[in-house]
């Protein structure tokens, strides 16, 4: 049976936003032998586009408050010309490591590690850093997973149990450890404690504001897409802890923006319900299928 035409058109446009079709990229196929099983909490949380984008924005804003993370972005990223590409690559990494064959997930992890091992420099204050520093990777990991989780709880599943939240942190520890992070929290309380322990090292300066402004001004293309992106950026900033939002000088999102983000999450959940994106594909399907 043909899929709902409106759903299909929206999915097609979103697939194009998150995948560089000119380079042969396609959505990740969900596999039963992924690094995480289909009944994992990671599959539930990481599969929601709206909450993952909101969490991704919030996590990036939080991460860059660490001077070494900011320096790594500043020194080794083309963020000024291609912030959208950077965000898209992060989304692709999460999709592949969560849903694709375990071998594909491990290959993605190995690729990131090999890149990290080559990168180093100095912060704006002249402090040496290595991108592969386990403590620095732990900061990136914990801010990312707690931001994804916070976005899911706020906009996807407000009644999510504490046990499931702990399970998500514990499951995602597999990725943090594989990337070389240390320490890696195994429950929500430990994750929050790690973030609090890092606060004395955080700062915001002109570089921070420049990168944050580029994040917040992201354009995707098309009025509808840019309007949706604006809601996601506002919701992502609003998701930050109060102290982090104050460091960035960002305002809380209006009730209208938060309501719009919630409506968008529900709409896209409807769009993807029963879709090829959420199907668990057999091993003989090797490439993204023609789903027309």
């Amino acid at each position: 049976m043909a899929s709902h035409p409106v759903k299909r058109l929206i999915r097609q446009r979103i697939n194009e936003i998150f995948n560089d079709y000119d380079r042969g990229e396609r959505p990740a196929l969900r596999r039963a032998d992924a690094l995480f099983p289909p009944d994992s909490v990671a599959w539930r949380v990481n599969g929601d586009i709206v909450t993952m984008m909101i969490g991704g924005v919030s996590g990036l804003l939080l991460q860059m408050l660490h001077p070494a993370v900011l320096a790594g972005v500043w020194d080794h990223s083309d963020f000024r010309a291609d912030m959208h590409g950077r965000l898209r690559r992060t989304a692709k990494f999460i999709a592949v490591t969560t849903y694709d064959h375990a071998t594909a997930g491990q290959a993605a992890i190995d690729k990131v590690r090999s890149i990290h091992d080559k990168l180093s420099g100095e912060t704006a204050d002249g402090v040496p850093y290595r991108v592969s520093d386990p403590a620095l990777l732990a900061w990136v990991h914990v801010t990312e997973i707690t931001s994804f989780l916070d976005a899911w709880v706020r906009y996807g599943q407000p009644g999510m149990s504490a046990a499931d939240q702990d399970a998500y942190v514990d499951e995602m520890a597999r990725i943090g450890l594989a990337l070389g992070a240390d320490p890696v929290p195994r429950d929500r309380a430990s994750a929050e404690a790690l973030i609090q322990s890092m606060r004395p090292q955080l700062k915001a300066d002109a570089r921070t504001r420049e990168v944050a402004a580029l994040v917040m001004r992201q354009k995707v293309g098309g009025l509808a897409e840019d309007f949706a992106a604006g809601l996601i950026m506002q919701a992502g900033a609003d998701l930050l802890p109060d102290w982090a939002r104050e460091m960035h000088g960002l305002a809380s999102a209006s009730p209208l923006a938060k309501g719009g983000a919630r409506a968008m999450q529900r709409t896209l959940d409807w769009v993807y319900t029963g879709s090829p994106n959420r199907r668990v594909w057999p091993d003989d399907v090797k490439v993204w299928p023609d789903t027309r």
Side-chain angles (χ1 to χ4, degrees):
M1 181 182 294
S3 62
H4 192 292
V6 173
K7 286 186 175 185
R8 188 174 66 248
L9 287 172
I10 295 173
R11 289 198 304 267
Q12 180 178 336
R13 177 58 185 140
I14 292 173
N15 287 344
E16 292 169 352
I17 290 172
F18 283 96
N19 299 273
D20 189 337
Y21 273 61
D22 291 338
R23 295 184 178 181
E25 291 183 2
R26 297 295 186 271
L29 293 168
R30 295 189 176 197
R31 305 290 188 176
D33 67 344
L35 290 174
F36 302 101
D39 62 351
S40 64
V41 183
W43 268 51
R44 188 195 325 163
V45 175
N46 293 353
D48 188 90
I49 289 177
V50 173
T51 61
M52 288 297 283
M53 290 304 296
I54 292 171
V57 169
S58 184
L60 184 55
L61 290 170
L62 192 52
Q63 288 164 9
M64 71 175 67
L65 291 174
H66 193 294
V69 173
L70 181 67
V73 172
W74 192 274
D75 295 339
H76 305 293
S77 171
D78 58 351
F79 69 93
R80 294 177 184 84
D82 192 25
M83 181 59 79
H84 177 218
R86 178 183 173 84
L87 294 171
R88 183 167 60 189
R89 287 188 291 274
T90 299
K92 177 65 71 174
F93 177 81
I94 296 297
V96 171
T97 55
T98 304
Y99 300 110
D100 207 340
H101 279 300
T103 52
Q106 186 60 52
I109 291 169
D110 293 343
K111 180 179 179 180
V112 170
R113 286 202 69 158
S114 69
I115 294 171
H116 286 173
D117 287 343
K118 301 172 185 175
L119 303 180
S120 61
E122 292 185 351
T123 68
D125 296 328
V127 178
Y129 72 85
R130 292 179 297 106
V131 173
S132 60
D133 178 5
L136 197 60
L137 293 171
W139 169 250
V140 172
H141 172 75
V142 73
T143 51
E144 184 172 81
I145 64 165
T146 55
S147 296
F148 289 153
L149 185 55
D150 286 344
W152 172 250
V153 171
R154 178 174 295 185
Y155 293 102
Q157 189 186 357
M160 187 182 197
S161 69
D164 275 359
Q165 293 184 47
D166 284 343
Y168 179 73
V169 175
D170 185 57
E171 289 170 4
M172 294 300 289
R174 177 173 188 171
I175 304 301
L177 290 168
L179 286 171
D182 185 38
V184 175
R186 305 307 294 251
D187 56 44
R188 184 63 189 258
S190 298
E192 296 295 342
L194 179 57
I195 291 173
Q196 291 300 318
S197 73
M198 297 291 285
R199 284 185 62 182
Q201 301 180 41
L202 309 182
K203 64 180 293 186
D205 57 18
R207 279 186 173 188
T208 317
R209 288 187 288 274
E210 180 176 341
V211 179
L214 284 171
V215 173
M216 297 300 293
R217 291 198 304 263
Q218 274 303 290
K219 300 294 183 183
V220 180
L223 293 176
E225 292 92 336
D226 286 345
F227 177 76
L231 290 177
I232 286 171
M233 300 307 161
Q234 291 181 66
D238 187 76
L239 197 67
L240 288 167
D242 291 344
W243 55 264
R245 194 166 57 252
E246 291 172 3
M247 289 181 71
H248 274 293
L250 295 169
S252 300
S254 68
L256 186 62
K258 288 188 280 190
R262 187 168 290 107
M264 183 169 28
Q265 188 279 328
R266 292 172 180 169
T267 298
L268 291 193
D269 184 55
W270 168 76
V271 165
Y272 280 92
T273 296
S275 74
N277 299 74
R278 291 186 178 177
R279 178 181 173 185
V280 181
W281 292 89
D283 287 348
D284 60 345
V285 178
K286 303 299 183 183
V287 297
W288 184 250
D290 181 350
T291 57
R292 292 173 294 178

